[in-house]
Amino acid sequence: MIRDYFRVVTINLTSGQSAIVEVEGRNEVAGGSGLAAHLFAKYGHMDKPWDDPEQPLIFTIGPLTGYFPLMSKTVCAFKSPYHNQYAESHAGGRSALALRFADLDAVVITGKASKPVCISLGSRRIEIKEVHYLWGMDVYATGKYFRHMFRGSGHRSILRIGPAGERGSPMACINADTYRHFGRLGGGAVMGMKNLKGISIRGDATFLLPENKDYPKLFEEVHKQLTDTEMMSKYHDLGTPINVIPLNKLRALPVRNLQQTSDPNIAGISGEKFAEVALLRNNACSGCPVGCIHIGFVRERFAKENRYLYRQVSYDHEPIFATGSMLGVLDCFKVLDIIDVVERMGLDVMSGGVALAWATEALEKGIISEKETIIPLKFGDAEGYKEAMQHLAMGTNEFYQTLSKGTMVAAERYNGKDFACVLGQEMAGYATGEAFFTSQALGFRHSHLDSAGYSYDQKTEEKDAGKAADFLVKDEQGRVFITSMLACLFARGVYNDELLGKCLNSVGYTDLASSIPDVSRHIQKLRWRTRFATGFDPKSVSIPKRFTEIVTWKGKIDAEYLQTLKDEYAKRIIELGTDDNKKTE
Ligand code: SF4
């Protein structure tokens, strides 16, 4: 049912009370990213630290969730333990559809439980259950318990944390339905700080579709467009790991802590190799006919009993880069072994891999010793990295506690800033050049998905900082509307403004449909204003020296152009966040 307001459930873990609240603003903030910032303004505290129990943990969906294919994502928003500023993290899985079927547009969790708890919520009932016996359990074991406790399949979603989240690591993720993650910027620590081990969402209400004639026709058209395209078959067949070989050929793949941008033996972790020897099956987020989630297997041998245990582990380009090329591990089964440990611990895989890559080089350079790393980290040594991931998650000693606060925190403490591969947070798996480095370093989520800087690098030879900054601002604006609808960004080529307008119209959101440019501009500014209000200063962001030392297919990175572009983009972001009247295009 469409509404001109948002139906939000608020849950206070200190008092144990919950309520359904109607929040105005549908035509101004749409949903998803826009709604998350809107709710943070209402329930969040700009000046209090991330771990103040009053800070909210917010989950939102969009106005088209459930109505069209690939509207499958959920936004999670919070004040981040990574930088103590407002942050968003996005995940697929089943939570978006489960919330739609629970007749909710958003969940806002405040307070802190006195003992470990989990939340079970549906359309008619909300329960907070004590689960002290799950504290300390890894993500897999916790998932088994939750599936047993909250029986039923279909539109049920289970979000949970592992040991990294429990101890408040800024690198802790929230696992979403086993194979997806709210990975970046420490959402898992926010749950841990609240003593919240997991959330079960039951989509237990009915969900009526529009009865007009246009809707089914449009649905069919959109479905066809999404499933007929070459792009979608690419995501289904090999998945995002299809990028490994082309990036390696371009000399744009981060290898061994970005000391290299390609490796002659990369075929061992290519998408083709994974598909040939390690792929078990594909999986999909709810409401997605594409199914880009690739699941491989790891095999554990119990020598005494002479038997094997097989576990299923999902893989994508980013985990492969972070635990593979970045660590010099070029065998797909060894990569899956490391990802398996990361999953158990509830770590963000990109942060974990990049952090250990820095630690390995720091050890090689002698600025830290085995006293700090406990084990002799060596590029290519998967067994060592499996152990080190556990130390990183558990914060075994002072070194790992510091490293788990962020690679740059450790780099400052141990004097290794020049080779810390940090762009706002640990880098993503692209070393394409100046536009990407700027875009991730300054981007709202410090994500490779904030804007297509990596693609701009590949398409453009000219070094015009003004044009590049224009592109980044404009591209972010388009993406912000998509993430407010909560479409998967893989579908961004199909879901342009025109099609989104038709979709909104067919469902009944006619005002939103007629004001997409204004609403997306408003949301873009609202998000930046919220970020600035929590302390972000784009001028203070620096890009470590390592990023200027590399060579890509275009030649050596142009440090001067990188600096000019960074300054120009910082200026644009400041305009977005501070001046409501200034035109952004
Ligand atoms: S394309 Fe992949 S990530 Fe996107 S909605 Fe489908 S399964 Fe999920």
Side-chain angles (χ1 to χ4, degrees):
M1 181 182 100
I2 71 147
R3 341 177 154 93
D4 58 3
Y5 61 88
F6 299 103
R7 191 167 185 269
V8 179
V9 62
T10 61
I11 302 166
N12 185 318
L13 291 173
T14 308
S15 65
Q17 290 184 334
S18 60
I20 298 287
V21 182
E22 291 179 8
V23 175
E24 300 295 322
R26 173 68 80 183
N27 290 331
E28 289 78 48
V29 297
S33 291
L35 175 57
H38 188 54
L39 290 174
F40 192 82
K42 186 174 167 67
Y43 294 100
H45 303 269
M46 306 297 175
D47 48 350
K48 289 187 180 172
W50 72 273
D51 57 351
D52 187 296
E54 285 181 28
Q55 292 289 17
L57 176 67
I58 298 167
F59 296 93
T60 62
I61 59 170
L64 296 176
T65 303
Y67 288 105
F68 286 95
L70 273 89
M71 292 289 170
S72 309
K73 300 278 177 167
T74 300
V75 164
C76 176
F78 48 89
K79 203 167 185 197
S80 165
Y82 196 91
H83 51 34
N84 207 26
Q85 295 160 18
Y86 177 67
E88 272 179 29
S89 185
H90 302 180
R94 295 192 292 270
S95 61
L97 265 281
L99 284 170
R100 167 62 71 233
F101 276 86
D103 200 20
L104 293 167
D105 296 302
V107 181
V108 178
I109 301 165
T110 54
K112 176 177 181 171
S114 56
K115 292 183 180 147
V117 296
C118 70
I119 294 171
S120 163
L121 65 93
S123 65
R124 291 178 294 277
R125 228 176 59 199
I126 295 159
E127 280 177 280
I128 300 172
K129 289 185 185 222
E130 200 199 311
V131 288
H132 63 273
Y133 49 90
L134 296 184
W135 208 248
M137 264 189 201
D138 72 30
V139 167
Y140 292 163
T142 306
K144 268 188 204 158
Y145 268 90
F146 279 149
R147 285 190 291 275
H148 185 73
M149 280 165 76
F150 307 112
R151 285 186 182 278
S153 51
H155 302 293
R156 179 198 64 181
S157 175
I158 291 176
L159 313 177
R160 68 234 196 224
I161 59 168
E166 290 177 8
R167 68 165 205 85
S169 165
M171 292 187 183
C173 74
I174 301 172
N175 179 291
D177 302 308
T178 306
Y179 300 123
R180 300 284 89 182
H181 313 82
F182 296 100
R184 311 230 70 189
L185 294 171
V190 179
M191 279 182 65
M193 176 274 294
K194 293 184 175 303
N195 267 333
L196 180 59
K197 183 71 175 170
I199 304 166
S200 160
I201 306 164
R202 292 185 314 279
D204 56 359
T206 50
F207 169 45
L208 300 177
L209 295 174
E211 285 177 1
N212 65 65
K213 280 191 211 140
D214 294 341
Y215 171 74
K217 261 203 254 158
L218 184 60
F219 183 97
E220 210 174 304
E221 199 184 298
V222 172
H223 189 279
K224 190 165 180 318
Q225 277 193 52
L226 285 166
T227 47
D228 278 3
T229 63
E230 198 190 313
M231 175 190 71
M232 281 303 157
S233 57
K234 163 185 126 177
Y235 284 128
H236 176 83
D237 295 347
L238 292 183
T240 53
I242 197 172
N243 293 329
V244 171
I245 294 275
L247 284 171
N248 192 61
K249 269 192 191 145
L250 279 177
R251 289 189 288 159
L253 183 70
V255 177
R256 295 181 180 82
N257 200 39
L258 199 56
Q259 295 179 90
Q260 298 156 237
T261 47
S262 69
D263 189 290
N265 297 315
I266 209 69
I269 57 167
S270 65
E272 291 78 356
K273 189 64 171 181
F274 272 90
E276 185 193 330
V277 300
L279 177 63
L280 270 182
R281 63 190 174 98
N282 281 43
N283 197 344
C285 303
S286 294
C288 174
V290 176
C292 80
I293 305 171
H294 286 63
I295 299 173
F297 65 93
V298 296
R299 196 171 77 149
E300 199 175 333
R301 179 158 187 252
F302 295 90
K304 263 194 197 157
E305 301 153 54
N306 197 25
R307 67 185 178 92
Y308 293 94
L309 176 75
Y310 290 83
R311 271 193 305 278
Q312 302 188 33
V313 181
S314 66
Y315 63 84
D316 283 293
H317 170 70
E318 300 300 342
I320 292 174
F321 127 79
T323 61
S325 64
M326 199 63 170
L327 297 177
V329 176
L330 302 179
D331 175 284
C332 64
F333 284 111
K334 289 182 180 169
V335 164
L336 287 173
D337 271 345
I338 303 173
I339 299 174
D340 184 46
V341 176
V342 171
E343 292 282 17
R344 281 173 182 283
M345 294 290 112
L347 274 172
D348 168 41
V349 69
M350 278 191 258
S351 293
V354 173
L356 291 186
W358 174 85
T360 309
E361 192 175 335
L363 188 63
E364 274 180 355
K365 286 183 156 53
I367 66 167
I368 53 173
S369 68
E370 266 184 59
K371 185 172 149 279
E372 277 83 31
T373 60
I374 304 176
I375 40 167
L377 297 176
K378 241 171 70 191
F379 287 118
D381 177 16
E383 286 306 310
Y385 289 125
K386 278 163 65 181
E387 262 188 69
M389 284 294 183
Q390 296 190 47
H391 292 310
L392 186 63
M394 306 303 286
T396 314
N397 62 9
E398 197 214 324
F399 171 73
Y400 282 107
Q401 283 161 23
T402 308
L403 188 59
S404 71
K405 288 181 184 151
T407 304
M408 193 49 87
V409 177
E412 275 166 6
R413 159 82 174 75
Y414 295 95
N415 201 16
K417 280 173 23 180
D418 283 356
F419 58 94
C421 295
V422 174
L423 296 165
Q425 65 179 328
E426 285 73 18
M427 76 177 298
Y430 307 86
T432 52
E434 296 87 351
F436 174 66
F437 297 156
T438 301
S439 138
Q440 195 191 334
L442 291 169
F444 183 83
R445 293 196 279 146
H446 300 299
S447 162
H448 57 294
L449 294 170
D450 277 326
S451 54
Y454 52 87
S455 156
Y456 189 87
D457 282 327
Q458 291 175 62
K459 288 181 185 151
T460 317
E461 286 292 333
E462 66 178 325
K463 292 177 182 174
D464 182 328
K467 269 194 195 165
D470 280 348
F471 169 82
L472 295 179
V473 169
K474 187 92 178 106
D475 193 56
E476 185 209 23
Q477 193 184 308
R479 285 171 184 240
V480 156
F481 195 75
I482 292 178
T483 63
S484 295
M485 299 296 103
L486 279 173
C488 175
L489 280 168
F490 292 160
R492 62 190 178 274
V494 172
Y495 279 127
N496 54 29
D497 281 3
E498 194 192 338
L499 184 60
L500 286 172
K502 283 188 192 172
C503 293
L504 285 166
N505 261 325
S506 76
V507 170
Y509 289 112
T510 48
D511 287 346
L512 257 184
S514 62
S515 55
I516 292 175
D518 289 343
V519 174
S520 37
R521 243 192 319 271
H522 172 68
I523 297 169
Q524 187 181 29
K525 284 167 170 278
L526 173 67
R527 291 204 318 166
W528 280 116
R529 276 204 306 272
T530 312
R531 183 84 196 275
F532 282 128
T534 54
F536 182 53
D537 174 11
K539 283 192 277 189
S540 70
V541 175
S542 59
I543 296 181
K545 194 169 167 213
R546 173 57 46 89
F547 292 96
T548 63
E549 292 170 340
I550 64 165
V551 177
T552 71
W553 79 103
K554 289 200 222 178
K556 195 162 182 314
I557 294 294
D558 183 337
E560 205 180 309
Y561 173 55
L562 178 61
Q563 183 64 38
T564 312
L565 177 53
K566 188 176 81 63
D567 292 346
E568 186 60 34
Y569 189 42
K571 205 170 88 191
R572 307 295 177 96
I573 291 171
I574 292 168
E575 285 169 5
L576 282 169
T578 52
D579 183 357
D580 253 0
N581 299 317
K582 188 152 178 100
K583 288 255 182 268
T584 58
E585 44 177 4

